[in-house]
Amino acid sequence: MGTIDSARAAQILETLLDGIMTYEAAVALVDITGVRGMDELGIGALLKAAKAARLLGTQLILTGIAPPVARTLTETGADLGGVITHGSLQAGVTYALGRSARQRVRPAKPVDDERPPETVRR
């Protein structure tokens, strides 16, 4: 895969947003396994993609960050707040599936009028 420059990052952003809208995705994984370098414009575009995903209600999960990319991200002060990262695609998929399952089984919170009566201990 090589490097992510601004042109490639723009392509990733476009594909990501199209996929989010087409599939009404709650979670999107961006796997950068094999990426050995990223310039500052590429990093900026990746962060914009994460922000755009959040604006659409989608959680971005970034997987497969190689050590040189991690170094570049920290050296440039990239703020990955709001982006979940996992070392491998498998770990990211496992997380996403677990997150999805938790959302499906979450019970609805009762409205004040629907609360069960208090139990009185004697």
Side-chain angles (χ1 to χ4, degrees):
M1 187 154 186
T3 62
I4 296 181
D5 57 12
S6 59
R8 186 170 229 171
Q11 181 183 21
I12 291 168
L13 175 62
E14 182 178 336
T15 303
L16 174 68
L17 296 180
D18 285 346
I20 288 170
M21 295 305 295
T22 300
Y23 298 105
E24 299 176 3
V27 177
L29 280 92
V30 175
D31 181 48
I32 60 171
T33 300
V35 173
R36 298 291 169 231
M38 194 179 297
D39 65 16
E40 287 190 40
L41 293 175
I43 291 170
L46 187 62
L47 295 176
K48 285 179 186 176
K51 184 175 182 178
R54 278 194 308 275
L55 289 171
L56 295 174
T58 301
Q59 175 65 60
L60 183 73
I61 301 172
L62 185 62
T63 64
I65 301 173
V69 175
R71 175 187 289 153
T72 302
L73 288 167
T74 56
E75 287 175 352
T76 59
D79 179 12
L80 293 176
V83 177
I84 295 172
T85 60
H86 285 278
S88 69
L89 179 58
Q90 181 178 2
V93 169
T94 300
Y95 174 84
L97 291 174
R99 181 182 184 276
S100 178
R102 285 189 303 273
Q103 286 181 336
R104 281 195 302 266
V105 297
R106 184 180 307 156
K109 292 182 180 179
V111 180
D112 286 336
D113 298 333
E114 299 174 359
R115 290 184 190 261
E118 295 292 324
T119 304
V120 178
R121 291 188 176 192
R122 293 178 191 223

